[in-house]
Amino acid sequence: MVKPNFLKAPELASYNVRGNGPDLAVDKLCYLTDTITDNGIWEEINPLDSKLPTFIFQLAIVLFVTRLCLLLLKPLRQPHFAAELLAGILVGSTAIASEFVRKHIPTLGSIFAASRIMMMETVGNLGLIYHVFLIGLEMDLRALTNVGPKALCIGISGALFPFFFGASLYTFIAEYPEHFRWGCLYWGAALSVTGLPVIAEIFAKLKLLHSEIGRIAMSSALVNDISSWILLVLSLAITSSNSSMYLSLFSAIFFIIFSIFVIHPALLWMIRKSREGEDYSEATICIILTMVLACGLITDICGVSSVLGAFVFGLIIPSDLLGHRFVLMLQGFASDLLLPFYYASLGMRTHVGGFNREDMIVMVLVSFLSFIPKIVCTIAISYFYRMSLHEGFTLGVLMNTKGLIAVLAMSLGRDHTVMNEDGFAVMLFAIFFMTIVTSPIVNFLYRRTKKFLPSQHRVLQNLKPDVELRILTCIHEVQTVAGITTLLEISHASRRSPICIFALQLMQLKKHATALLIVHGAGGTSSESFSRVDGQIDQLIAAFNKLEHQTPMLSVQLLTAISPYGTMHEDVCSLAEEKQVTLIILPFHKRQTIHNNMEEMNPAYKYVNNNTLAIAPCTVGILVDRGFGTLLPSKIDDCKTRSCKIAMIFIGGCDDREALAYALRMARHAKVALTVLRIILDETSTQNGDADLSLTMEDEAEKQVDDSFVNEFRQKVKNDVSVVCTEEMSSNGAETVKIIRSLGQDFDLYVVGRGLGFFSPLKGGLDEWSDCPELGSIGDLLLTSDFSSTASILVVQQHAEFNPGSST
């Protein structure tokens, strides 16, 4: 039965003051406070005597230690959860707030005194509520409909068997007092948890998310997460009290049903009505954030933790409804700023340094025994479904990955006074240990150092005329789409040689995101139940649908890869190898301004381009777009005038031959006029005793290959009036620059080879002055402000193994 005074206001520390004036009979109620005067230190007042300055000091220390742990554990590929939990333990009674530090550094002792951490705990729990809301918001229950029987069995057994094992382990590992006997439920709940966001982050860093084991592990972790929440709610209801156990359980079930059938439709109606494009009104955002706290308050009043209400409220909102921007804003405030206080408050109540030798042995023993249940049941189910022992063991290790929910379960058990501090500290250490060892074990067991093997069939100059050309084009920003689609349009897709385009949108992996390869179908739908990854996707779909409609023999498949910039090139090269791509087109990391200058978009784009050039399994082209996207639509084509003029500069080497092969394909397009300029070394100047030139003279065998390829090219275009071939003699780099300038400015696109591994006197001195090595010496020359042309540039590089000088 509900107590009638459960909302009664608490007693305040106060005193009465009777006035001395005309209102002598009036009593004034005052309460004690510790605010600081505006004059601060000028009145010799210690700022740490006030709550607000103390809280600011705590915030600075906690965030500094958290960021330091993230920085130190990043090279080890550890998830954010491990770094944040370690930071909380260090800030707590184990290190910074320990008795030793309090004694020798009184300032820290004053900041983290027991009477000063109440505000820190309150703010930390507020961050916890919003973070759990984000977990529910990003958990797509629609994916449960696609879970196979294998993942379903692994997920359910991976929750039930560890739950009973953990409860038994708690009972037999030590003798606890009678009122701590129900702590076994929370040990079991902690061992049953599998951290879905943590697994996704580990897979993203190890590049295993698109593998078969990655898909099974993600599906199993989703089922396991739902099962673990059910077990946690049952544990909370059982430990509430004997009289209110059923009331707490039934009220939680009633709240979930009410949220699904009442709150969910009303919320969808409100959000869709108030939506203005990609943004929401301030009132809508305020209502959503308030509803998170309100749902938490309801479940807290019902006798269950407030995190359940926040989680359920996030779960009933479709993951694509609030949008990417809303999640990013709340993620930065709640998870990055407020949540570290929750870990710090856990550390304040955990003192690992006070354990003796026997206690440490128990902690290590529990940590190793905690691995057993999930590994055993996963291997058994894998054997039943005829999976290898290697895959079953790897899945078992992955299912032991813990997350915030495991720590939350232990914290709730301690808050319900059914677990003592020793039991809490032992399991907290086990959770931390199980999380940090998962990544190196999986990396050792399953991660293979992948070498992208070259293939002669994935080179443009060796591609047969009647074979489909497969192109992978990468997109960082929507502004680069126009130039890329124009280049693809003039690549001449024909009935004899069609073109298949894989348009890959590259997005940076954020902390909250799940790294995925998303395939977008017609109408912008996603095969992974994600219909809106970013606001740009609609524009990309529209642009490539238009290209596919205008070019009959060209097909487009749009994909989105979400990964960190440091490993983004692996996604590009893996997809190129999987799809047997012949050409990868990358956008240049700079774009043209309205004043015809080049400004940098993002320094990370250059890093991605350089890494892709170094390991690509096929030919790579970098497009410097300087208005090429507006070329064809702006010019009038009367079917007699060529509207796109391309110049190909040929000096020699495998990259130049590859560039010439692609230029030949573009020359077959009805709108393209091609001019090929071959610059030949003037051997008379070399024979006259130029020592520097003789040292860098191109190899005779390479020159013969160039001559044979150019002669074959001339035979193919001898009857084509749209192709003009010229030759010029040069003896050094300065003369080469003059010859290129003599071409004039009446071109829309220059096609050149990168030629980084090809040394020729014709480029003497140009390499030393190159600002962008990924463009090669000729490409960088065309980009400089000294060269008056503002035409776009396409720099082509053959496969890295065929071109030993291509690595940067």
Side-chain angles (χ1 to χ4, degrees):
M1 183 174 181
V2 179
K3 296 181 179 180
N5 59 344
F6 78 102
L7 289 180
K8 183 179 177 180
E11 296 282 339
L12 289 176
S14 60
Y15 57 93
N16 292 328
V17 177
R18 185 172 296 277
N20 298 321
D23 52 348
L24 294 178
V26 177
D27 290 340
K28 295 182 178 180
L29 181 64
C30 302
Y31 61 93
L32 300 177
T33 182
D34 54 356
T35 56
I36 192 170
T37 61
D38 293 337
N39 293 328
I41 60 174
W42 308 116
E43 293 190 3
E44 298 183 357
I45 297 177
N46 185 4
L48 296 181
D49 291 338
S50 179
K51 292 181 179 179
L52 183 59
T54 303
F55 175 75
I56 294 175
F57 275 109
Q58 292 172 348
L59 177 65
I61 294 173
V62 170
L63 292 183
F64 173 76
V65 176
T66 302
R67 289 297 159 182
L68 181 62
C69 291
L70 288 171
L71 182 64
L72 295 177
L73 294 184
K74 184 178 180 180
L76 303 178
R77 294 185 176 182
Q78 291 295 329
H80 281 72
F81 166 73
E84 291 171 341
L85 182 58
L86 176 62
I89 296 175
L90 294 178
V91 171
S93 302
T94 305
I96 295 179
S98 63
E99 292 295 334
F100 178 81
V101 175
R102 292 169 186 262
K103 182 178 179 180
H104 292 82
I105 308 178
T107 302
L108 289 178
S110 178
I111 292 174
F112 292 101
S115 59
R116 303 290 180 86
I117 63 174
M118 184 60 67
M119 183 179 294
M120 183 176 71
E121 290 187 353
T122 303
V123 174
N125 280 280
L126 183 65
L128 172 67
I129 290 175
Y130 280 114
H131 181 76
V132 173
F133 164 70
L134 285 175
I135 293 178
L137 185 65
E138 295 180 337
M139 188 177 293
D140 191 2
L141 293 183
R142 292 173 296 181
L144 290 175
T145 59
N146 299 324
V147 172
K150 184 191 308 181
L152 187 65
C153 293
I154 293 176
I156 295 178
S157 63
L160 294 179
F161 187 47
F163 179 81
F164 294 111
F165 181 88
S168 304
L169 186 64
Y170 179 88
T171 304
F172 294 107
I173 200 69
E175 295 182 358
Y176 294 108
E178 181 68 18
H179 61 280
F180 286 147
R181 70 183 187 278
W182 290 115
C184 63
L185 297 178
Y186 294 94
W187 265 41
L191 289 186
S192 68
V193 170
T194 296
L196 177 61
V198 181
I199 285 184
E201 188 177 352
I202 292 175
F203 271 128
K205 293 178 179 179
L206 297 181
K207 293 299 173 186
L208 292 175
L209 197 61
H210 312 319
S211 61
E212 180 65 21
I213 192 173
R215 288 187 283 269
I216 296 176
M218 292 293 291
S219 301
S220 303
L222 178 60
V223 177
N224 187 277
D225 249 15
I226 302 299
S227 305
S228 300
W229 271 102
I230 296 175
L231 294 174
L232 181 58
V233 171
L234 291 175
S235 302
L236 289 171
I238 292 173
T239 56
S240 56
S241 66
N242 293 331
S243 59
S244 62
M245 178 179 66
Y246 295 105
L247 293 176
S248 299
L249 184 59
F250 288 146
S251 60
I253 296 175
F254 176 77
F255 170 76
I256 295 174
I257 296 175
F258 182 79
S259 299
I260 295 175
F261 293 102
V262 178
I263 299 179
H264 174 67
L267 192 64
L268 293 183
W269 176 81
M270 182 196 68
I271 291 177
R272 289 167 178 167
K273 184 178 180 181
S274 61
R275 189 165 186 171
E276 301 172 357
E278 294 294 327
D279 299 324
Y280 300 91
S281 64
E282 295 181 2
T284 303
I285 296 177
C286 182
I287 291 174
I288 292 174
L289 297 180
T290 306
M291 284 293 295
V292 176
L293 300 178
C295 292
L297 177 62
I298 293 173
T299 53
D300 199 23
I301 292 175
C302 293
V304 192
S305 175
S306 57
V307 296
L308 176 64
F311 176 74
V312 172
F313 183 71
L315 208 59
I316 63 176
I317 303 177
S319 58
D320 58 338
L321 188 63
L322 292 181
H324 186 63
R325 187 182 304 175
F326 176 85
V327 177
L328 276 181
M329 292 174 59
L330 188 58
Q331 173 75 31
F333 176 71
S335 302
D336 297 336
L337 184 65
L338 302 184
L339 189 62
F341 273 120
Y342 176 74
Y343 291 108
S345 64
L346 291 178
M348 295 297 295
R349 301 184 183 186
T350 307
H351 187 50
V352 182
F355 286 175
N356 54 31
R357 183 178 179 182
E358 294 181 357
D359 294 332
M360 297 302 295
I361 292 176
V362 171
M363 293 177 66
V364 176
L365 180 63
V366 170
S367 300
F368 280 101
L369 290 177
S370 299
F371 275 96
I372 294 178
K374 289 203 175 188
I375 292 180
V376 170
C377 67
T378 305
I379 290 178
I381 296 176
S382 301
Y383 177 78
F384 178 78
Y385 282 98
R386 298 182 180 179
M387 295 175 61
S388 65
L389 180 63
H390 178 269
E391 291 181 336
F393 182 76
T394 306
L395 272 175
V397 174
L398 284 167
M399 296 299 289
N400 277 299
T401 305
K402 302 303 175 186
L404 177 63
I405 307 303
V407 176
L408 176 63
M410 299 304 301
S411 179
L412 291 174
R414 185 184 56 186
D415 294 342
H416 280 66
T417 65
V418 296
M419 184 184 302
N420 62 0
E421 295 297 330
D422 292 342
F424 175 81
V426 169
M427 184 51 65
L428 189 66
F429 176 80
I431 291 172
F432 177 73
F433 177 76
M434 296 169 73
T435 303
I436 62 173
V437 301
T438 299
S439 182
I441 291 178
V442 175
N443 190 28
F444 176 77
L445 290 175
Y446 206 83
R447 177 63 170 166
R448 301 177 177 91
T449 303
K450 190 170 186 179
K451 180 177 177 62
F452 299 105
L453 300 177
S455 173
Q456 293 285 355
H457 299 289
R458 295 164 67 183
V459 179
L460 287 172
Q461 54 188 293
N462 294 334
L463 194 67
K464 296 180 180 179
D466 55 348
V467 174
E468 178 187 57
L469 173 62
R470 296 193 169 196
I471 300 178
L472 172 63
T473 173
C474 302
I475 303 161
H476 293 286
E477 298 183 5
V478 71
Q479 292 84 357
T480 61
V481 175
I484 291 176
T485 53
T486 302
L487 180 65
L488 296 175
E489 182 181 350
I490 64 174
S491 297
H492 189 59
S494 62
R495 185 177 299 274
R496 185 182 181 188
S497 179
I499 297 179
C500 180
I501 306 296
F502 299 95
L504 180 64
Q505 183 190 20
L506 300 175
M507 296 182 62
Q508 183 186 12
L509 172 69
K510 301 293 183 180
K511 176 184 173 181
H512 73 280
T514 302
L516 291 171
L517 180 67
I518 303 171
V519 182
H520 303 277
T525 57
S526 169
S527 63
E528 298 289 346
S529 299
F530 286 84
S531 60
R532 301 188 66 85
V533 180
D534 195 321
Q536 297 181 350
I537 191 63
D538 290 337
Q539 302 179 48
L540 299 182
I541 293 175
F544 282 100
N545 284 344
K546 180 180 178 181
L547 173 66
E548 191 174 15
H549 178 72
Q550 293 178 346
T551 311
M553 301 308 300
L554 185 145
S555 60
V556 180
Q557 186 176 11
L558 187 60
L559 310 98
T560 299
I562 308 175
S563 58
Y565 284 129
T567 57
M568 195 172 284
H569 60 285
E570 296 183 14
D571 283 339
V572 176
C573 297
S574 297
L575 186 62
E577 190 170 51
E578 177 186 349
K579 303 297 184 181
Q580 298 183 351
V581 169
T582 304
L583 174 64
I584 299 174
I585 298 178
L586 302 172
F588 191 51
H589 66 279
K590 294 182 180 181
R591 60 185 171 193
Q592 189 177 29
T593 64
I594 57 176
H595 302 293
N596 292 330
N597 298 322
M598 301 298 293
E599 65 175 4
E600 194 164 28
M601 291 186 288
N602 190 334
Y605 299 166
K606 181 177 182 179
Y607 181 78
V608 175
N609 290 351
N610 287 336
N611 288 337
T612 305
L613 287 169
I615 66 171
C618 58
T619 300
V620 182
I622 297 181
L623 177 63
V624 183
D625 185 9
R626 297 197 284 187
F628 194 58
T630 60
L631 171 67
L632 296 183
S634 61
K635 291 191 175 184
I636 300 176
D637 185 12
D638 56 0
C639 298
K640 297 180 180 179
T641 305
R642 301 279 173 161
S643 59
C644 180
K645 296 183 178 180
I646 300 177
M648 193 278 146
I649 302 174
F650 187 94
I651 292 179
C654 56
D655 289 348
D656 282 22
R657 294 193 295 270
E658 195 74 356
L660 184 58
Y662 190 42
L664 174 61
R665 185 179 185 95
M666 290 188 289
R668 295 169 180 162
H669 196 277
K671 298 180 180 180
V672 174
L674 175 64
T675 299
V676 179
L677 171 63
R678 186 185 184 189
I679 304 177
I680 304 175
L681 179 64
D682 188 358
E683 298 181 357
T684 58
S685 61
T686 307
Q687 294 175 357
N688 289 335
D690 195 334
D692 292 336
L693 294 180
S694 62
L695 289 175
T696 58
M697 186 180 301
E698 58 185 5
D699 185 75
E700 185 64 27
E702 189 77 13
K703 184 176 182 298
Q704 292 180 359
V705 176
D706 290 339
D707 292 339
S708 174
F709 189 79
V710 172
N711 291 334
E712 184 180 354
F713 172 80
R714 290 178 179 273
Q715 291 295 324
K716 293 179 180 179
V717 301
K718 62 180 180 179
N719 297 324
D720 193 344
V721 295
S722 64
V723 180
V724 177
C725 299
T726 60
E727 292 184 354
E728 297 287 345
M729 304 291 290
S730 175
S731 57
N732 52 48
E735 293 184 7
T736 301
V737 173
K738 293 180 181 179
I739 294 173
I740 294 177
R741 286 180 175 173
S742 66
L743 273 175
Q745 304 179 21
D746 192 23
F747 292 101
D748 303 303
L749 176 69
Y750 286 97
V751 180
V752 297
R754 188 185 180 200
L756 193 62
F758 179 74
F759 301 98
S760 171
L762 298 175
K763 302 187 296 182
L766 298 181
D767 293 331
E768 289 77 2
W769 295 97
S770 178
D771 294 329
C772 301
E774 66 270 25
L775 299 182
S777 55
I778 303 301
D780 185 77
L781 170 67
L782 297 171
L783 187 64
T784 58
S785 57
D786 296 337
F787 197 80
S788 57
S789 175
T790 58
S792 301
I793 307 167
L794 177 65
V795 181
V796 180
Q797 173 195 284
Q798 205 180 62
H799 185 277
E801 187 164 323
F802 295 154
N803 190 357
S806 61
S807 299
T808 56

